[in-house]
Amino acid sequence: ELWWFKIGASEERVYYYDPTSVDAALMKRARRSSRDNTSLEICPTQLSDEGEYKCRIVVWDNTGNSTEPSVPISKEARMILKVNVPPEKVEITHLTSGRNLSLRCKAEGAKPPADILWTKTSPDGVETEIPDLAKTREIEPAGELYDTAEQIFYQLEENEMIAKISCVVRHHNTNTTIYKNITFVSPAIQNALKVTIQRFAEPVLYSSIENQDGRDNKAGLVKISADPGFKVPYNTSVTLKAAVPGVFPEPRYLWWVGDQTGMAGRELHIGNLEEDKSYYVLAENPLGRVVLEVPVHIATSDYSQWNDSSRDGDVIVDDTTGGLDTGAIIGIV
């Protein structure tokens, strides 16, 4: 007799075989191997199949004497099944400015995480790995799988008229290799798409050169936030923050107001704002530069909106005295 079990919180029977009468798979995708009488095949494999399995063999032996009761002889073996999953999706996006390139390649849904390397193919078809890249890599869990993303900054040589750059995703555990290619053409051969900059608080989009899928990927949206807000009470401190998600290399930031000396950094701290002011921020990396105007306003008091109801933490005031309303005093404070 042959038994197969999957070990978990309890032993789940997967397969049972009795050569005299029974050949039963207790899991739909399980069957006895055609190579021998005892091996188990699971096809197609799923991620949930991963885990520990136990094989039990029972031989009934009466030592050739039919008058004696049979004696069962049982032996077991255990083994671990690991299920590897190749990447299900590979995407590549990029920003360009002249000969400066920023590329991002992402391999999704692999187990274990996939490896990424970058190659360049010459016009005569010779492919070589790009050395000494400035790059950053992120590996994020996605349930039981993993997403791997890598960003690089690369500068084309002056004599390169056409450059084919490939993101090579390798998953050694499943013998899987996926190529994602982008071809860059010098403006001397073909007019490159323009870098579009919309100034003064409008979204800033960098147009890219058409990739191998025929799509024009756009990225580089500059975002400004204010704490506690862009409209605040008189004499309030405000913190302005700039961010350019998805852009590599990370931009440098410079803030200024009026003719004051610029202050470097992602954040600008404003103490005790007493009047409406416009602040300016420069975000710059080798791919381009953007200047935004960030207006911050003083909120005017409107006592006509005060009433006896309380919402979002407003103070309930029940004033029976004459003179200035107690609620107004609290508002001034």
Side-chain angles (χ1 to χ4, degrees):
E1 293 180 349
L2 168 68
W3 290 91
W4 277 97
F5 302 90
K6 188 173 188 293
I7 308 300
S10 60
E11 291 188 352
E12 174 190 351
R13 288 183 294 179
V14 176
Y15 193 88
Y16 174 64
Y17 170 64
D18 179 348
T20 61
S21 58
V22 181
D23 193 354
L26 305 177
M27 185 175 73
K28 290 183 177 179
R29 294 173 291 106
R31 65 174 179 260
R32 194 160 51 95
S33 172
S34 58
R35 294 179 299 177
D36 53 53
N37 291 329
T38 55
S39 296
L40 178 71
E41 289 186 0
I42 301 175
C43 184
T45 316
Q46 297 180 358
L47 192 57
S48 58
D49 296 330
E50 184 168 279
E52 184 179 8
Y53 288 78
K54 180 173 71 175
C55 169
R56 178 187 298 161
I57 300 291
V58 181
V59 178
W60 296 85
D61 184 15
N62 61 5
T63 65
N65 188 345
S66 61
T67 62
E68 296 292 333
S70 297
V71 179
I73 301 174
S74 176
K75 290 194 174 184
E76 295 181 351
R78 292 180 179 235
M79 59 212 73
I80 300 294
L81 173 64
K82 291 186 177 181
V83 178
N84 299 314
V85 183
E88 65 176 358
K89 184 179 181 181
V90 175
E91 289 185 336
I92 187 168
T93 56
H94 59 284
L95 308 174
T96 63
S97 178
R99 294 184 294 110
N100 297 321
L101 311 176
S102 178
L103 302 100
R104 184 175 191 267
C105 186
K106 184 176 183 180
E108 300 180 0
K111 179 179 177 292
D115 291 327
I116 295 177
L117 62 89
W118 298 85
T119 64
K120 186 173 66 172
T121 303
S122 64
D124 55 359
V126 178
E127 182 183 17
T128 56
E129 184 175 352
I130 303 177
D132 303 325
L133 279 174
K135 60 184 178 181
T136 178
R137 175 175 292 190
E138 300 174 354
I139 298 178
E140 297 182 353
E144 297 181 83
L145 306 177
Y146 296 90
D147 296 342
T148 304
E150 187 167 281
Q151 289 180 298
I152 66 167
F153 174 71
Y154 180 69
Q155 195 170 49
L156 296 172
E157 299 176 6
E158 292 186 6
N159 59 350
E160 287 186 284
M161 305 302 288
I162 298 178
K164 177 183 176 181
I165 296 180
S166 302
C167 164
V168 185
V169 176
R170 290 180 176 173
H171 197 251
H172 302 284
N173 299 74
T174 57
N175 295 321
T176 301
T177 301
I178 301 175
Y179 278 78
K180 208 71 171 179
N181 307 317
I182 298 180
T183 301
F184 296 93
V185 181
S186 168
I189 301 177
Q190 174 182 326
N191 291 329
L193 297 179
K194 296 179 179 179
V195 176
T196 303
I197 298 181
Q198 297 178 343
R199 297 175 181 269
F200 303 120
E202 294 293 329
V204 180
L205 299 176
Y206 296 82
S207 294
S208 67
I209 296 177
E210 184 176 286
N211 67 8
Q212 78 285 352
D213 295 323
R215 296 192 302 268
D216 186 32
N217 295 320
K218 296 181 178 179
L221 179 64
V222 178
K223 297 181 178 180
I224 305 293
S225 61
D227 183 17
F230 294 100
K231 193 172 185 179
V232 297
Y234 177 83
N235 211 28
T236 299
S237 296
V238 180
T239 299
L240 301 178
K241 298 180 181 180
V244 190
V247 169
F248 183 81
E250 172 74 16
R252 70 178 186 92
Y253 303 91
L254 186 68
W255 295 85
W256 73 92
V257 57
D259 56 358
Q260 296 182 9
T261 303
M263 291 155 281
R266 182 190 296 272
E267 299 183 0
L268 174 68
H269 300 283
I270 307 168
N272 306 323
L273 188 70
E274 298 180 349
E275 60 181 352
D276 294 350
K277 281 189 178 180
S278 287
Y279 297 84
Y280 296 86
V281 60
L282 164 71
E284 182 180 38
N285 75 357
L287 296 161
R289 55 166 48 190
V290 178
V291 178
L292 299 180
E293 180 186 29
V294 185
V296 183
H297 300 283
I298 299 295
T300 57
S301 300
D302 184 2
Y303 299 119
S304 64
Q305 298 178 356
W306 287 62
N307 51 46
D308 293 334
S309 64
S310 176
R311 294 184 303 171
D312 298 331
D314 291 344
V315 177
I316 299 178
V317 178
D318 186 10
D319 180 36
T320 57
T321 63
L324 187 61
D325 190 291
T326 308
I329 294 175
I330 295 175
I332 294 173
V333 173

